[in-house]
Amino acid sequence: MQAAARLLQLAGLTIPVLAMVAQLMNRIRAGQMLQFLVVAVCLFSAGYILQVYGPRK
């Protein structure tokens, strides 16, 4: 469970960087970038909640 939580957190930290690069290259609009950022926050939060409140070894 810890590995899944870390993977979600990593995805949540990677998506904003990719969204900003895509927006700077004019491949996506600002509204789409904000949608990616909202998804990233949700993924990171889910990973954090799994890590903190998930089963312990």
Side-chain angles (χ1 to χ4, degrees):
M1 188 66 72
Q2 291 291 95
R6 293 289 180 160
L7 184 64
L8 286 173
Q9 289 176 348
L10 182 64
L13 290 174
T14 304
I15 290 174
V17 174
L18 296 175
M20 284 187 282
V21 168
Q23 205 275 330
L24 286 173
M25 295 173 55
N26 291 326
R27 300 207 180 241
I28 60 174
R29 293 171 299 187
Q32 289 174 317
M33 185 181 74
L34 290 175
Q35 289 174 347
F36 280 117
L37 295 178
V38 168
V39 169
V41 167
C42 292
L43 285 175
F44 187 87
S45 299
Y48 178 77
I49 290 170
L50 277 177
Q51 184 179 6
V52 172
Y53 298 110
R56 303 275 175 172
K57 287 186 177 181

